[in-house]
Amino acid sequence: MGYSVIDYQIVQDHIAVVTLSRPESLNALNRQMFIELGLVFSEIERDNRIKAVILTGSGSKAFSAGADVSELQRLSAVEARNFALAAYRTQDQICSLPVPTIAALNGYALGGGCELAMCCDLRLASENARLGQPEINLGIIPGGGGTQRLARLVGVSRAKELIFTGKIIPARVAYEWGLVNRVVPLEELMETAIKLAGEIATKSRPVLALAKSAIDRGSDMDLTPALHYEIECFAGCFATEDHHEGIRAFLEKRVPRYTDR
Ligand SMILES: CCCCC/C=C/C(=O)SCCNC(=O)CCNC(=O)[C@H](O)C(C)(C)COP(=O)(O)OP(=O)(O)OC[C@H]1O[C@@H](n2cnc3c(N)ncnc32)[C@H](O)[C@@H]1OP(=O)(O)O
């Protein structure tokens, strides 16, 4: 399928790379971008070969500087709601993809860009990356999950500090706060992301999906139902062919050969 504001590639058989591609506006997120992200993530979901997805931005300056401010400028309250709902649907597709996702933050990840990064399972940042929710400086608040996902990742206090001040933090601070998993030089970012994706891709696809579901759905529950949900996911592993292979390979002292069934 042809895309105009994103780029899509499959590298090393099992790894998909989706690139936000509007470098002239620091990969600002417009309606078309959300439409194409929805389409590409549907394509990825249907492709059983893919075992890890990397989401990054074009150029060396930004992952995404947020929602396209020139589009926001024209919105009525009703249209703003529809825009945020459309973004929510795409984000929900990304969050519930049964395959691990890695955001490779190659520069600014601001506003909707930071919100999109927080929809991924893991975040790697280049040393020049800067993260924040500066919407307050435009007279608005985050509308793409920033008030919720940021607070869950860094705690309510730090989320409030970022959202109330619009302050942008460097990658190092984002790492100290637990907002990104790792910080690497820009030149090594994609190599590191592909290496991590490759490591994940050696595991069983259905078992990765069960691990992701146990963590994500469980973290939206109280502890007791979450622990019961984990038990269901654990039991689900025993319905896969791959768990036989994993256990057999361990006992035979060899590397498992998963078939993703
Ligand atoms: C997920 C659902 C969304 C829900 C709501 C989300 C809301 C938002 O995300 S609001 C936007 C939040 N982001 C921002 O406020 C950041 C805006 N950008 C900046 O502050 C700066 O561009 C910068 C600090 C990121 C970089 O500054 P600088 O190095 O000086 O680069 P320029 O400002 O010259 O930018 C180059 C070029 O890109 C255009 N641009 C940057 N960000 C956006 C944007 N968010 N929307 C539209 N266009 C953007 C900028 O206007 C420049 O274009 P030209 O003037 O044509 O060269």
Side-chain angles (χ1 to χ4, degrees):
M1 184 174 296
Y3 297 104
S4 62
V5 291
I6 62 169
D7 182 58
Y8 177 51
Q9 282 182 45
I10 297 182
V11 298
Q12 292 184 14
D13 297 340
H14 297 298
I15 304 169
V17 179
V18 177
T19 307
L20 308 173
S21 189
R22 296 185 71 215
E24 68 291 349
S25 60
L26 304 185
N27 305 316
L29 304 164
N30 61 4
R31 277 174 210 274
Q32 184 61 22
M33 187 88 91
F34 282 111
I35 291 171
E36 293 188 14
L37 283 171
L39 291 171
V40 79
F41 275 91
S42 299
E43 193 176 335
I44 291 169
E45 190 168 0
R46 287 191 302 271
D47 189 339
N48 290 336
R49 289 171 303 168
I50 295 171
K51 295 172 77 169
V53 182
I54 298 169
L55 180 61
T56 192
S58 60
S60 55
K61 201 169 161 184
F63 169 74
S64 169
D68 191 318
V69 178
S70 54
E71 275 196 5
L72 290 184
Q73 186 192 19
R74 296 190 291 268
L75 301 182
S76 66
V78 171
E79 290 165 336
R81 186 173 187 277
N82 289 339
F83 177 70
L85 265 177
Y88 167 80
R89 286 188 205 103
T90 301
Q91 291 178 333
D92 193 46
Q93 246 184 304
I94 298 172
C95 293
S96 55
L97 191 77
V99 160
T101 50
I102 301 168
L105 307 178
N106 54 314
Y108 289 108
L110 302 177
C114 187
E115 292 173 319
L116 191 57
M118 290 190 289
C119 291
C120 294
D121 298 310
L122 305 168
R123 281 157 294 282
L124 304 182
S126 58
E127 284 165 347
N128 66 322
R130 292 165 68 78
L131 293 84
Q133 299 288 162
E135 289 90 338
I136 200 89
N137 298 329
L138 300 171
I140 59 176
I141 69 165
T147 62
Q148 302 309 306
R149 292 198 177 93
L150 185 62
R152 282 165 170 75
L153 280 168
V154 304
V156 168
S157 249
R158 283 171 167 161
K160 283 182 175 167
E161 185 184 341
L162 287 190
I163 290 170
F164 292 170
T165 64
K167 185 167 89 176
I168 293 173
I169 53 170
R172 275 281 148 218
V173 174
Y175 173 73
E176 282 159 20
W177 287 13
L179 185 50
V180 301
N181 295 72
R182 224 181 282 177
V183 181
V184 296
L186 179 62
E187 322 75 74
E188 293 171 22
L189 180 67
M190 281 313 286
E191 183 192 323
T192 308
I194 290 173
K195 195 166 165 218
L196 178 59
E199 194 181 332
I200 291 169
T202 64
K203 316 300 179 196
S204 159
R205 193 177 192 271
V207 174
L208 285 168
L210 286 163
K212 176 167 170 169
S213 180
I215 296 167
D216 286 348
R217 289 191 55 190
S219 59
D220 286 338
M221 298 175 190
D222 286 337
L223 183 60
T224 302
L227 291 172
H228 282 277
Y229 184 62
E230 184 193 71
I231 290 169
E232 296 309 316
C233 293
F234 171 72
C237 298
F238 287 75
T240 67
E241 290 179 18
D242 281 344
H243 95 284
H244 288 298
E245 169 61 9
I247 291 174
R248 210 165 34 227
F250 174 79
L251 295 173
E252 293 170 5
K253 302 190 189 305
R254 61 172 173 81
V255 175
R257 289 182 296 269
Y258 293 124
T259 55
D260 296 326
R261 288 196 291 262

